[in-house]
Amino acid sequence: LYRIAVSASAVCEPTLNSTLLVAANLLPAVADVDLGSNQGPQFQQAGGKLVVPVFGNSADGQLVNYQVEVFFDDSIFLARECTPGVVDGFSCTINDPLDRVKLIASSLASTAEGALLPLGSFTLQIKASNVTLISGQIREFVRITADGEQRSPTQPLVAGFGFADVTLGTRRARLSSVSETL
């Protein structure tokens, strides 16, 4: 996992210093999608599973349609279930193919607007221990703004791209003290 060391020391007392390791956790730009927790490490294991929340940034208008594909290593994870977000017309495809989850929603009546909209979540069962990439792409992200319909082209996730450190089994010391969001 990538960590950033933040160090501070007092100018008047150089022996007074401290260092804190933090995990960078990006917020999505407009029309980008974020995966994982917004506080602390991006991906947080709970027992033998990883629940991955999915957020989108539609701060410039109402989100009426999205299609997001999330990719993972199917030798490490098995997708188990999805839950809907704030846009009606939600559907989710898991294990077709085995290495991805596809979240889709469409509602012309949607009033969902904001910088961190819950698009849904999905649960991955852990099959093996590893540090592994979770990434994806935005196939569709349509907002209604003051300038009319804004349709984003297919693009990779930026804020959502990240690595999950998972362990098969339930015995594991977890880092839980990092609560800063960068």
Side-chain angles (χ1 to χ4, degrees), residues 69-122:
E69 288 182 304
V70 180
F71 310 118
F72 52 86
D73 185 337
D74 63 346
S75 70
I76 307 298
F77 297 115
L78 176 66
R80 284 296 188 193
E81 65 183 351
C82 295
T83 57
V86 297
V87 178
D88 288 338
F90 179 83
S91 69
C92 181
T93 303
I94 60 173
N95 302 319
D96 187 20
L98 290 173
D99 67 344
R100 69 192 63 193
V101 171
K102 186 184 298 183
L103 295 94
I104 301 171
S106 184
S107 173
L108 293 176
S110 173
T111 58
E113 185 174 352
L116 211 53
L117 291 175
L119 303 182
S121 67
F122 58 93

Side-chain angles (χ1 to χ4, degrees), residues 27-48:
L27 295 175
V30 170
D32 191 21
V33 170
D34 189 20
L35 302 175
S37 176
N38 291 309
Q39 299 291 319
Q42 181 179 12
F43 300 111
Q44 300 178 25
Q45 179 177 343

